Amino acid sequence: MYRALLKKTGIVGLLLVLAACGGSDEEPKEAVSRDSLLLTAEDLPGGAHTARFTEPEQLVLSLKLDTPSDVGLPIDITYEPVECGEQSSYADEARLTLSNVDTTSMMGAYLDNERSYLALVSDVPLDIGRVADAHTGSCSTYRMGSRTITTSRLDLPPAIATEDAVILYEVSDPDNPEWSNDEVFYGYASVDGYTVAVLGMDGKEFEQEFTEFFTNAVLKVRDR
């Protein structure tokens, strides 16, 4: 329900997240601000529009975008299998831990006046493997109310294949044939002490564009 709200503004966007990293013998890189790690119009195809999200409600609404579980909602949702409710809630709550403006910088991008991405950089660590397993483990397909949620894991491009990263594609298929499917791409990565995450709200035909967007986000952090 938040997708329409954010698309009206011409932005939905990409997520970038900071996570703790272990020790290293390498010289530490010069400290940079979170804001400087966000993608800008110069990093994107020509004609892209970008905007910063700086208010607490903007971050919370963006991170709850197309959240499949009942996190924060005063309603009962039936899951089949039942245990998938807990898995779904874990993935949603993991994203929502990133919604503090004191620890997170966020931006949105709008391409060709129709495709939207959300991006953020945060000091909050994210367990990439645990989030990926919550989406694609035993609950890669489950029923939530009147919808069937199916999530698959996509191949990483060669440029970031060695990173601790994952790309997920989620389809929410409604029982009512008059309702359209909701399609969501998620990209998460832990890179050199940062977690990078990207959210895209468009169809499978834009998989390559999403992959390139996510790759650019990861490389901007890695090569800073």
Side-chain angles (χ1 to χ4, degrees):
M1 66 181 151
Y2 297 111
R3 187 208 298 203
L5 170 66
L6 292 180
K7 279 205 169 185
K8 268 190 174 180
T9 69
I11 307 289
V12 178
L14 155 143
L15 291 151
L16 284 155
V17 184
L18 279 149
C21 64
S24 172
D25 292 332
E26 297 179 3
E27 283 292 320
K29 295 183 179 180
E30 183 179 350
V32 296
S33 69
R34 286 195 311 268
D35 289 359
S36 70
L37 298 179
L38 293 172
L39 293 177
T40 66
E42 288 71 27
D43 302 311
L44 301 173
H49 300 281
T50 62
R52 286 287 317 282
F53 296 153
T54 58
E55 301 300 322
E57 61 270 20
Q58 291 177 320
L59 271 65
V60 173
L61 288 176
S62 298
L63 289 170
K64 291 181 72 172
L65 187 66
D66 269 20
T67 292
S69 79
D70 58 353
V71 171
L73 300 178
I75 58 177
D76 292 325
I77 296 179
T78 301
Y79 291 87
E80 300 176 18
V82 174
E83 60 269 22
C84 291
E86 182 178 350
Q87 291 287 75
S88 181
S89 292
Y90 174 84
D92 298 335
E93 289 168 352
R95 289 201 302 275
L96 288 174
T97 62
L98 310 174
S99 62
N100 185 338
V101 293
D102 293 330
T103 54
T104 297
S105 300
M106 180 182 287
M107 58 82 69
Y110 199 49
L111 308 183
D112 294 339
N113 293 319
E114 59 177 287
R115 295 185 302 283
S116 304
Y117 296 91
L118 182 72
L120 68 82
V121 179
S122 174
D123 296 316
V124 178
L126 196 68
D127 187 334
I128 305 299
R130 178 70 180 86
V131 171
D133 288 345
H135 282 286
T136 62
S138 60
C139 292
S140 59
T141 297
Y142 66 94
R143 295 274 302 168
M144 183 194 73
S146 62
R147 286 181 172 267
T148 299
I149 314 297
T150 303
T151 308
S152 55
R153 199 165 183 156
L154 304 180
D155 292 336
L156 293 171
I160 58 171
T162 60
E163 303 295 341
D164 178 13
V166 65
I167 296 177
L168 306 173
Y169 171 63
E170 178 184 277
V171 179
S172 175
D173 184 13
D175 291 341
N176 188 333
E178 296 183 1
W179 299 346
S180 63
N181 289 352
D182 284 338
E183 300 178 69
V184 184
F185 285 100
Y186 298 106
Y188 299 108
S190 291
V191 185
D192 192 27
Y194 295 88
T195 301
V196 179
V198 178
L199 172 66
M201 301 294 297
D202 298 289
K204 195 69 162 59
E205 65 267 31
F206 298 107
E207 176 181 345
Q208 181 176 350
E209 180 179 88
F210 175 86
T211 299
E212 291 174 355
F213 199 99
F214 177 57
T215 299
N216 287 340
V218 172
L219 294 179
K220 182 148 187 179
V221 174
R222 192 181 74 186
D223 300 337
R224 68 191 187 284

